Amino acid sequence: MTNRMSGEVDVLSRKGYLDQYGQIARALVSVVSLGGQVALAEGAYVEAWLPLVLGQAPMLKHGQSTRDTRSVFLVGNLTAGGHLARKLLPELVVYAGASMSLPLTWGANARELEVADVALLTRAFFDTHRTFLNHLPLRLRGGAEMQFKEIVELRTELAASLALSLGSDSTELVVEQGNELQLGYQGFGVGLRVQEAFLLTEPDMAQVALEPFVNWDMSTFELFTRVGILIPIDEPMGFGLGEHGMTTLRINSGMKF
């Protein structure tokens, strides 16, 4: 329930990459998203986000580069939408909204399509509307936030994204659900996020992930920063801390006004 502008950085890395210096984590793709929200009226907000993607293609199964590996940059889908938020109790806020994502990369080649597909993994199949190329994603979302004595915060969210095909690809339907528990005091907090993504148009595609995080909200300057590590815990991505597991470093920082 604030005006804000912010930037998000998601860096997906795979363990077990072998190079000439030994075993290191390999950065597969990075997504930088810029955007924010502004109030039109009390409790009514419009919002927009633009993701930029940088990745490596092609890559072998365990994150090893080949002689043909090259860096690829592409612009993801521009998302515009809005939401309504209401404080039902002093401790409880609920919200609901909708958005549409417009593809800005047309005629993508095989390398760009590969990087865009890998970018879907950065949030463990959450927020797939950002990089579903050749699609027009329509999204509905809602949730609630509760705070108890300024120490305990609970957040829950539910979203459904229908990505309409604009070409020969199939239409995709994704349902996302996430829950967060945060403990903190005077703007600083630590917490854990548990999320599930269900790709209903794919066989047996349900991805669960955990994200421990720290959050710092500077009320004096209206600045905020959140840093977390997203860890898949089951198939299809596999266990993120396994031999060749994938994890995502997530950073969100910005300013309220």
Side-chain angles (χ1 to χ4, degrees):
M1 299 184 68
T2 60
N3 298 324
R4 64 177 61 196
M5 57 182 181
S6 64
E8 299 178 343
V9 179
D10 302 315
V11 181
L12 177 69
S13 298
R14 185 191 291 276
K15 296 176 60 179
Y17 169 70
L18 297 175
D19 68 358
Q20 58 181 326
Y21 301 108
Q23 198 169 53
I24 62 173
R26 175 74 185 192
L28 299 180
V29 67
S30 300
V31 181
V32 178
S33 298
L34 305 173
Q37 65 183 40
V38 177
L40 286 181
E42 184 178 359
Y45 298 84
V46 293
E47 55 204 15
W49 286 92
L50 177 65
L52 308 173
V53 183
L54 177 64
Q56 301 286 325
M59 302 292 292
L60 296 180
K61 180 178 180 181
H62 294 319
Q64 293 175 291
S65 62
T66 71
R67 293 181 179 179
D68 199 31
T69 296
R70 300 179 187 174
S71 295
V72 174
F73 173 80
L74 60 92
V75 180
N77 301 331
L78 174 63
T79 296
H83 70 270
L84 298 175
R86 291 290 184 270
K87 182 175 288 190
L88 300 184
L89 297 170
E91 304 84 7
L92 174 63
V93 172
V94 298
Y95 64 91
S99 66
M100 179 173 64
S101 300
L102 303 175
L104 299 183
T105 296
W106 293 90
N109 57 39
R111 294 180 187 276
E112 292 173 330
L113 291 173
E114 179 181 359
V115 168
D117 285 343
V118 175
L120 298 176
L121 307 180
T122 56
R123 295 185 180 175
F125 296 107
F126 248 70
D127 297 331
T128 54
H129 61 283
R130 302 186 306 166
T131 60
F132 257 146
L133 300 188
N134 303 324
H135 288 79
L136 180 68
L138 306 175
R139 194 165 184 253
L140 297 175
R141 66 187 182 95
E145 300 184 4
M146 292 162 281
Q147 186 179 66
F148 304 96
K149 298 186 182 299
E150 300 185 358
I151 297 177
V152 179
E153 293 187 31
L154 296 174
R155 295 182 282 268
T156 185
E157 61 181 304
L158 178 66
S161 179
L162 180 65
L164 301 174
S165 175
L166 299 178
S168 59
D169 298 324
S170 61
T171 292
E172 304 288 348
L173 175 61
V174 184
V175 174
E176 309 161 357
Q177 202 283 322
N179 303 287
E180 295 183 1
L181 170 64
Q182 178 179 315
L183 303 177
Y185 184 66
Q186 293 186 344
F188 181 81
V190 297
L192 178 67
R193 174 181 175 85
V194 181
Q195 66 176 47
E196 311 88 33
F198 303 93
L199 281 76
L200 301 184
T201 46
E202 300 292 337
D204 193 26
M205 284 288 285
Q207 181 66 61
V208 181
L210 304 177
E211 182 190 349
F213 63 87
V214 296
N215 190 59
W216 186 28
D217 198 330
M218 298 176 58
S219 59
T220 303
F221 301 102
E222 298 297 334
L223 302 177
F224 60 88
T225 298
R226 170 171 162 155
V227 179
I229 301 292
L230 186 65
I231 306 170
I233 63 173
D234 67 348
E235 298 297 336
M237 292 182 66
F239 182 47
L241 300 181
E243 182 181 2
H244 298 290
M246 290 180 283
T247 59
T248 301
L249 171 65
R250 298 194 58 198
I251 302 173
N252 179 15
S253 185
M255 179 179 65
K256 303 173 186 178
F257 59 93

